[in-house]
């Protein structure tokens, strides 16, 4: 299938909320990790979301270029081509973008999609994230309102974050404290500023104790009931049941029961990065340790080309990551839900 059209993406998100499941949103940094994500979704018969962060986009442009837009455009072009060979719908997304990078990342990418749509093409990316967690809520929502107008012009879904995700990702670090919990008042202010779709479609990453990084199961103190409280408050005010499409950030170390509870409250997208990084790297480490005298020219020997060929250990890395994505689809209940069936 080609990359999901705006209409297909909207249907994906609607189906997920109605069916109480979510799509894994997999961060990638290379063609190999992209291929692994595509295979994982196809193996699970799940539609999905593949995304790049600002750091991932910079990395994709090459270490001597370090240009986020160049890397993001190159990634999207490659994804648009290879995704045609897989029997699932895939949406492309850009992850956390703080205020100081909006003009260097999200806004230029939105402009590219607007131009494509004007010329009768599909947008380059299906959604972009504005991470306003580091600024006051009023400023966060003011910028979000401006971005939503631009997103709508390009048939793009906007993702915003209201609240703070603890831990560190791509150089953005937040303390682990009471600010990790979005309030009902914040949720109502968000809807007051952005509406419920009439100004443009958006997803909301409301925080309920989420933390980026590596944590053992049970160590992250989540309160998924906060999502339900906000959904009910907004729903009561506007006469709609479960009106918000929500995003789960910082899910590493979460209990499956907590993840499933969040799905019941309207989470349609869950970011997964830490775990897939490990499952991509782990088979490579295994290969190198097992084939030490083949991948290295030890004691003047010539090594074994079949062992240090990047395609050999690269295939193992991709298989490891794909298997973790299949597991993620099972956890998020998206297995077998692809719209292509």
């Amino acid at each position: 299938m080609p990359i999901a059209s705006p209409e297909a993406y909207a249907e994906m998100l609607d189906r997920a909320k109605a069916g109480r499941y979510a799509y894994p949103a997999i961060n990638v940094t290379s063609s190999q990790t992209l291929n692994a994500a595509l295979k994982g979704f196809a193996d699970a018969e799940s539609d999905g979301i593949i995304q790049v962060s600002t750091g991932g986009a910079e990395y994709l442009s090459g270490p001597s270029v370090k240009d986020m837009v160049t890397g993001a455009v190159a990634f999207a072009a490659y994804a648009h081509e290879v995704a045609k060979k897989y029997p699932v719908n895939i949406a492309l997304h850009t992850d956390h973008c703080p205020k100081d990078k909006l003009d260097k990342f999200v806004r230029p990418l939105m402009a590219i999609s607007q131009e494509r749509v004007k010329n009768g093409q599909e947008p380059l990316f299906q959604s972009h994230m504005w991470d306003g967690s580091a600024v006051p809520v009023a400023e966060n929502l003011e910028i979000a309102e401006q971005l939503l107008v631009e997103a709508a012009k390009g048939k793009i879904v906007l993702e915003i974050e209201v609240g703070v995700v603890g831990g560190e990702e791509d150089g953005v670090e937040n303390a682990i404290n009471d600010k990790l919990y979005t309030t009902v008042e914040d949720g109502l202010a968000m809807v007051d500023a952005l509406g419920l779709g009439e100004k443009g479609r958006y997803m909301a990453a409301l925080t309920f104790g989420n933390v980026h990084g590596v944590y053992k199961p049970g160590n992250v103190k989540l309160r998924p009931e906060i999502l339900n409280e906000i959904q009910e408050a907004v729903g009561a005010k506007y006469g709609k049941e479960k009106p918000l499409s929500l995003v789960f950030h910082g899910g590493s170390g979460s209990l499956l029961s907590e993840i499933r509870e969040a799905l019941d409250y309207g989470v349609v997208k869950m970011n997964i990065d830490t775990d897939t990084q490990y499952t991509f790297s782990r088979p490579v480490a295994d290969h190198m340790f097992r084939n030490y005298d083949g991948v290295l020219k030890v004691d003047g020997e010539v090594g074994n080309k079949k062992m240090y060929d990047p395609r050999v250990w690269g295939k193992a890395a991709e298989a490891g990551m794909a298997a973790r994505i299949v597991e993620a689809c099972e956890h998020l209940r998206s297995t077998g839900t692809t719209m292509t069936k």
Side-chain angles (χ1 to χ4, degrees), residues 8-326:
Y9 191 29
E11 185 179 351
M12 282 170 58
L13 299 177
D14 289 341
R15 284 165 56 109
K17 185 161 65 169
R20 295 176 182 258
Y21 62 88
Y23 300 106
I26 306 300
N27 281 71
V28 300
T29 54
S30 65
S31 60
Q32 283 190 299
T33 48
L34 168 61
N35 289 336
L38 289 168
K39 184 179 188 305
F41 285 124
D43 288 349
E45 297 185 323
S46 170
D47 300 324
I49 300 169
I50 298 178
Q51 59 191 24
V52 288
S53 63
T54 55
E58 182 182 276
Y59 181 80
L60 278 156
S61 74
S64 62
V65 176
K66 293 186 176 181
D67 182 82
M68 294 181 290
V69 172
T70 297
V73 171
F75 153 75
Y78 184 84
H80 274 267
E81 194 60 38
V82 296
K84 296 175 185 177
K85 301 295 183 181
Y86 291 85
V88 289
N89 293 286
I90 298 296
L92 303 182
H93 176 80
T94 61
D95 201 9
H96 293 269
C97 182
K99 182 180 177 181
D100 64 336
K101 293 182 179 177
L102 281 174
D103 289 340
K104 304 172 187 175
F105 190 54
V106 163
R107 287 193 173 107
L109 291 173
M110 281 189 175
I112 290 171
S113 285
Q114 289 171 359
E115 189 63 27
R116 286 169 62 98
V117 168
K118 196 182 300 182
N119 294 330
Q121 299 172 282
E122 303 287 12
L124 189 64
F125 283 84
Q126 285 61 61
S127 51
H128 293 292
M129 183 190 175
W130 148 236
D131 182 354
S133 60
V135 302
V137 172
E139 183 183 1
N140 180 355
L141 296 177
E142 181 181 352
I143 293 172
E145 194 169 5
Q146 296 166 2
L147 290 171
L148 188 59
V149 172
E150 297 305 311
K153 291 177 184 177
K155 297 184 178 180
I156 297 161
V157 177
L158 181 68
E159 179 185 331
I160 70 166
E161 184 171 309
V162 179
V164 176
V165 176
E168 187 274 334
E169 182 174 58
D170 266 358
V172 179
E173 187 168 359
N174 292 307
I176 299 175
N177 54 34
D178 288 343
K179 293 182 179 180
L180 304 187
Y181 303 95
T182 306
T183 66
V184 168
E185 291 72 25
D186 290 341
L188 290 169
M190 175 187 72
V191 177
D192 185 54
L194 304 182
L196 286 174
E198 67 276 9
K199 297 181 181 181
R201 183 151 191 160
Y202 67 95
M203 297 180 283
L206 306 181
T207 57
F208 50 102
N210 319 53
V211 179
H212 287 134
V214 184
Y215 296 87
K216 292 181 179 179
N219 283 5
V220 178
K221 305 304 178 186
L222 295 179
R223 293 173 54 200
E225 67 274 10
I226 287 175
L227 302 181
N228 191 44
E229 292 168 5
I230 295 172
Q231 286 277 29
E232 289 186 344
V234 173
K237 181 174 180 178
Y238 293 91
K240 294 185 177 182
E241 184 180 354
K242 206 160 63 174
L244 302 173
S245 295
L246 304 179
V247 180
F248 189 157
H249 286 221
S252 297
S254 303
L255 299 174
L256 182 57
S257 59
E258 295 170 331
I259 293 172
R260 294 275 174 84
E261 185 179 354
L263 303 185
D264 292 339
Y265 299 148
V267 166
V268 297
K269 171 180 181 281
M270 179 173 172
N271 288 12
I272 300 175
D273 186 19
T274 301
D275 290 355
T276 48
Q277 284 181 352
Y278 181 77
T279 54
F280 184 84
S281 298
R282 179 64 180 81
V284 179
D286 181 70
H287 177 87
M288 298 303 171
F289 282 126
R290 288 178 181 274
N291 300 285
Y292 180 81
D293 57 351
V295 297
L296 296 178
K297 297 180 179 182
V298 180
D299 295 331
E301 294 297 326
V302 296
N304 184 342
K305 185 178 184 299
K306 291 182 179 180
M307 292 296 103
Y308 60 73
D309 184 338
R311 291 171 294 183
V312 176
W313 48 263
K315 288 177 184 176
E318 289 182 28
M321 181 172 166
R324 179 62 182 85
I325 292 167
V326 170

